[in-house]
Amino acid sequence: MDKISRIVVKRFRSIIDLEINLNVENNYMSLCGENNSGKTNTLRALDIFFNPDKYIAENDSPYHKIEGTRGGAVFPEILIDFETTQKQTIRIIRKFDKRGLEHTVGIKNARAKKIERIKMTEKEIKEYLDSFSFFFIESINISTPQVINNIIDDIYDLEYAKSQFRGAKKELKDAFDKYVEGLDSILQQLADEINPKFKEYKENWGVGFDIPNDIKKFRDLITDDIDFYINDRSNKRIDGKGAGLQRLAHILLHFKIIEKIKNKNVIFLIDEPDVYLHEGLQKKLYRDLKQLGKHVQTFVTTHSQIFIDTYRLENVYLLELQISSQYFKRRKRDYSILETKLVNFNEDTGKEKIREYLGISIEDYEVLQQYNILVEGETDKKYIHELIKYFDYEAPNIIAAHGADKIIGYLEFYDSYYRNIKQKSYKPKILVILDNDLKGREVFKKIGGTKSGKYKHINVFCMFVPNFLGEITEEKFQPDLQIEDLLYPKVLVFLVNQLLKKKDLKSINEKDVIDKIEKPAHKNKGILYLVENLKNDKNPDDGQTISFTNSSGSSDQIKTGIVGSFNIMGNPKLAELLNEEKEKYVEVEKFINRIINSSTYFSDEI
């Protein structure tokens, strides 16, 4: 499908000059920021681009521009680059004046360097924009009749095209009667299709459409005679429901409308999907939006972490409002200039702002659940948990045993505990992940191998952590591989250098690690062994002050220091490195995907 790849908005409300470049591989985009920072205005700019009739000059042009100057650069200009399925860039620019849409320009091959750019005709621009279905759900002013109109236009016409009005009066009357008769059938069928989705949110929820029996009006008035209601076993009227349920109903109705559209590119905007919804419903809605995003380009504004990709920070844009003043000679007065700005995550101030905005909380997993991952230490737990969240998966219960030797004790305790519970609802599944070093291999043998039969009241599967290439080195090569070997090399070097800088030591060279780590002589010994040697080469006089590999407790402290910097949420540099490396080393995500699914190692029996 064709998608928006770049948005440039000039002189629209609080936006003076805003450029957003999108990763078109990810169909979900979130705009965040404090109240009145310009999030909604960004969506409104897209709305008037696709619906120029909604433009009102006195509302949509910056106040200081209209009141303070009569120059040419006063009214809005909106540029959108679309990337087609053939990887061609189509650029469409819409300029407005005090009366409305002034003119539209279209260019094919807009971003090409060697290919000739081609100016589009007015007909070509219209045909291209008509290939999109555009939906915008505002945070206020929900219009039930407008949703009904969309249902009729986008669903009924598709499925009952042969019933549309044509011909003389009698034919028109017959077509209208057939239309009304079919309308009731289609809307009730739609309600039946929507209701399972509503029941995912709450068991006794449902929707329906009431059409009066005496309906006599023509198509344009049909929506006035349709009453949309929510059935939750109390009163039916939608205006008698809470604001959250009303809004959720409209969002889910749009899901069904969009699902019916087969031959158009779809762009779906939601202003604050989190508003009025408690956290549980927000999580369900976010998962559905991500699922919808497989086929639909979706834009949301939000104040909720739940709707933000806090780990990868892909297509996440933080806006802030800057207020300044400017003196205009023509009007002989100062005007306050409100300007929406995009925060640059790569700057130190940008990092602080995204972290402050997101508000980072630490989750603690202590209770044994149906499916659990048992690892050697807190370091293993932290790395695995952060990677799971980065890849946007649901994290199972991860337990740190605080040492490989203690894993046996943990398993014996759990087995004994569940032996004494007579009415247990499930037999816990525990995936044990060990370092592929001498101690890890000893514990592996004590557990009894991959599928251990030692434990009667818990299901245990034991495995070694692979390296970033997905490899598990055989014991005969005496590997010394630990959780750090699962990380992308660039990421680990970044974390190591963060620590070296704190210790006033010289950084190691990223290229030296990458050039060597895939060679058998190095990768079997582990990346920390290689890092230790490179660190000493760079710091021959004081490199011994810290060690990544010795058997003393100081090595564990250093490893703790490294993992302490592995906080992906709100860290643009880490997100950038991970985004870059995940395409090169695909086995890391494959491993994470395997371990979060209990069915990979255990049967579905509980």
Side-chain angles (χ1 to χ4, degrees):
M1 65 179 184
D2 291 9
K3 306 175 186 179
I4 295 175
S5 61
R6 178 170 171 252
I7 303 166
V8 180
V9 182
K10 295 183 179 180
R11 300 178 298 280
F12 178 77
R13 298 196 177 210
S14 66
I15 302 171
I16 306 302
D17 191 352
L18 178 69
E19 178 175 348
I20 296 176
N21 289 280
L22 302 170
N23 174 8
V24 294
E25 299 301 318
N26 181 351
N27 286 342
Y28 181 84
M29 187 203 83
S30 54
L31 285 164
C32 52
E34 296 180 355
N35 290 330
N36 299 317
S37 60
K39 303 184 300 297
T40 300
N41 285 344
T42 305
L43 297 191
R44 285 173 177 156
L46 287 174
D47 192 23
I48 70 159
F49 177 91
F50 284 95
N51 300 288
D53 291 344
K54 293 185 177 182
Y55 168 75
I56 302 173
E58 54 266 33
N59 294 338
D60 294 332
S61 297
Y63 177 78
H64 76 277
K65 284 285 186 181
I66 289 183
E67 297 297 322
T69 180
R70 295 189 181 276
V74 170
F75 299 105
E77 176 182 322
I78 303 170
L79 175 154
I80 295 184
D81 282 347
F82 299 89
E83 182 172 305
T84 70
T85 52
Q86 293 79 30
K87 303 300 181 183
Q88 179 190 54
T89 298
I90 290 180
R91 175 170 298 164
I92 297 179
I93 306 169
R94 295 200 129 160
K95 294 185 177 182
F96 298 80
D97 59 21
K98 62 182 178 181
R99 293 177 298 275
L101 180 63
E102 180 184 6
H103 70 271
T104 303
V105 176
I107 303 169
K108 294 180 180 178
N109 306 321
R111 286 195 165 185
K113 294 181 179 179
K114 297 182 179 180
I115 304 174
E116 180 185 0
R117 297 185 179 191
I118 303 172
K119 188 172 182 179
M120 299 169 68
T121 65
E122 186 176 330
K123 180 182 178 183
E124 287 176 324
I125 294 172
K126 183 180 184 306
E127 288 178 349
Y128 185 71
L129 291 179
D130 285 346
S131 72
F132 286 86
S133 283
F134 178 86
F135 300 92
F136 178 27
I137 298 181
E138 298 185 64
S139 61
I140 56 174
N141 300 328
I142 293 172
S143 171
T144 299
Q146 182 59 48
V147 177
I148 302 294
N149 267 322
N150 287 336
I151 292 169
I152 294 172
D153 290 341
D154 293 317
I155 297 176
Y156 187 81
D157 282 353
L158 290 174
E159 300 192 19
Y160 278 79
K162 294 181 181 179
S163 300
Q164 293 182 24
F165 306 75
R166 57 171 64 88
K169 290 182 179 179
K170 184 179 185 306
E171 293 173 342
L172 182 62
K173 176 66 167 60
D174 292 342
F176 179 72
D177 289 343
K178 189 174 181 181
Y179 184 93
V180 174
E181 179 184 346
L183 180 61
D184 180 63
S185 173
I186 278 295
L187 291 177
Q188 299 313 321
Q189 178 184 335
L190 176 63
D192 291 341
E193 292 175 357
I194 294 174
N195 281 334
K197 175 60 69 177
F198 267 72
K199 292 184 187 303
E200 290 179 16
Y201 287 78
K202 195 169 182 179
E203 186 176 354
N204 65 340
W205 282 1
V207 301
F209 300 89
D210 279 338
I211 303 177
N213 293 328
D214 61 348
I215 182 170
K216 301 293 183 183
K217 301 176 184 177
F218 281 93
R219 177 192 179 113
D220 290 342
L221 299 178
I222 283 177
T223 55
D224 294 334
D225 288 296
I226 300 174
D227 181 21
F228 172 61
Y229 64 85
I230 296 175
N231 182 8
D232 60 356
R233 299 181 184 177
S234 59
N235 67 80
K236 285 185 175 182
R237 290 184 58 81
I238 189 168
D239 56 10
K241 309 302 178 187
L245 180 53
Q246 290 186 44
R247 198 145 187 283
L248 180 61
H250 282 80
I251 292 173
L252 297 184
L253 273 171
H254 278 79
F255 278 18
K256 185 53 60 176
I257 294 170
I258 290 169
E259 184 181 304
K260 293 283 187 177
I261 299 171
K262 303 298 182 185
N263 299 316
K264 284 193 172 186
N265 307 297
V266 178
I267 296 174
F268 188 24
L269 277 56
I270 310 179
D271 192 13
E272 298 185 2
D274 48 292
V275 72
Y276 308 129
L277 295 181
H278 67 73
E279 186 173 316
L281 289 183
Q282 287 186 36
K283 289 180 178 178
K284 289 182 180 179
L285 183 55
Y286 174 69
R287 287 195 293 269
D288 285 339
L289 283 172
K290 294 288 283 186
Q291 184 68 24
L292 185 72
K294 293 180 179 179
H295 310 288
V296 173
Q297 196 171 26
T298 305
F299 298 74
V300 305
T301 68
T302 184
H303 290 286
S304 170
Q305 280 192 32
I306 292 169
F307 290 91
I308 300 171
D309 183 351
T310 54
Y311 276 75
R312 287 180 290 185
L313 294 176
E314 280 187 355
N315 284 349
V316 174
Y317 303 94
L318 178 62
L319 301 180
E320 62 179 357
L321 188 67
Q322 295 183 358
I323 302 176
S324 59
S325 63
Q326 186 173 344
Y327 181 78
F328 291 95
K329 293 182 179 179
R330 183 181 295 273
R331 297 288 186 175
K332 296 182 179 180
R333 61 173 291 188
D334 287 314
Y335 284 87
S336 293
I337 300 175
L338 310 179
E339 185 172 1
T340 293
K341 289 284 191 178
L342 189 64
V343 174
N344 185 350
F345 293 163
N346 292 319
E347 296 177 352
D348 289 339
T349 55
K351 296 174 187 177
E352 293 175 5
K353 287 174 182 177
I354 188 64
R355 288 171 183 162
E356 179 182 351
Y357 179 80
L358 293 174
I360 297 172
S361 60
I362 301 173
E363 296 180 353
D364 190 16
Y365 300 95
E366 297 295 342
V367 181
L368 196 62
Q369 299 175 1
Q370 182 175 325
Y371 176 56
N372 311 269
I373 297 176
L374 182 59
V375 295
E376 293 187 13
E378 290 293 340
T379 297
D380 306 75
K381 176 179 175 178
K382 175 73 176 294
Y383 280 127
I384 290 174
H385 182 263
E386 287 288 299
L387 288 171
I388 288 173
K389 299 302 288 184
Y390 166 72
F391 289 118
D392 202 21
Y393 298 131
E394 287 290 324
N397 188 33
I398 306 176
I399 304 162
H402 306 288
D405 287 330
K406 296 182 180 180
I407 283 181
I408 301 294
Y410 268 72
L411 294 176
E412 290 176 348
F413 166 77
Y414 290 132
D415 193 47
S416 173
Y417 178 83
Y418 282 96
R419 180 193 308 124
N420 297 323
I421 296 180
K422 294 180 181 180
Q423 295 181 337
K424 55 180 179 286
S425 58
Y426 55 83
K427 188 176 180 180
K429 302 168 184 177
I430 303 176
L431 173 65
V432 179
I433 301 178
L434 297 165
D435 289 344
N436 193 2
D437 57 8
L438 183 60
K439 180 59 68 176
R441 290 190 292 275
E442 288 178 5
V443 173
F444 182 83
K445 292 173 183 176
K446 289 179 181 178
I447 290 174
T450 302
K451 290 186 177 181
S452 177
K454 289 178 61 176
Y455 308 99
K456 304 300 181 184
H457 306 283
I458 54 175
N459 289 317
V460 177
F461 190 98
C462 191
M463 66 179 298
F464 295 113
V465 64
N467 63 13
F468 63 96
L469 300 171
E471 301 170 341
I472 298 177
T473 305
E474 296 179 34
E475 183 177 356
K476 64 181 179 181
F477 294 110
Q478 296 184 318
D480 189 11
L481 303 180
Q482 302 173 46
I483 188 66
E484 288 81 5
D485 292 283
L486 175 67
L487 287 188
Y488 303 120
K490 273 189 180 181
V491 172
L492 185 70
V493 172
F494 171 76
L495 298 175
V496 166
N497 282 335
Q498 294 273 91
L499 183 63
L500 292 176
K501 288 176 184 177
K502 290 179 182 178
K503 301 293 184 180
D504 292 325
L505 296 173
K506 293 180 181 177
S507 299
I508 61 174
N509 191 306
E510 175 187 284
K511 189 174 184 300
D512 289 341
V513 175
I514 293 171
D515 287 345
K516 296 177 180 180
I517 192 56
E518 293 191 37
K519 302 294 191 298
H522 293 288
K523 68 180 178 182
N524 289 344
K525 289 185 176 181
I527 194 167
L528 290 180
Y529 182 84
L530 175 58
V531 164
E532 174 72 8
N533 290 333
L534 293 173
K535 176 262 300 180
N536 288 337
D537 288 343
K538 287 285 186 179
N539 301 275
D541 295 326
D542 47 8
Q544 77 283 357
T545 56
I546 65 171
S547 174
F548 299 104
T549 58
N550 67 30
S551 57
S552 67
S554 62
S555 177
D556 291 336
Q557 292 175 2
I558 294 302
K559 291 174 67 174
T560 301
I562 297 173
V563 76
S565 300
F566 193 57
N567 300 306
I568 306 172
M569 184 165 66
N571 191 323
K573 180 59 179 177
L574 261 182
E576 178 186 343
L577 290 173
L578 288 158
N579 294 341
E580 179 183 334
E581 292 288 272
K582 70 177 181 180
E583 304 299 332
K584 184 176 180 181
Y585 302 111
V586 298
E587 294 299 327
V588 175
E589 182 174 5
K590 287 182 181 179
F591 170 73
I592 295 298
N593 188 45
R594 287 196 301 272
I595 67 173
I596 64 168
N597 294 299
S598 63
S599 59
T600 307
Y601 308 100
F602 304 94
S603 69
D604 292 331
E605 296 179 4
I606 297 176

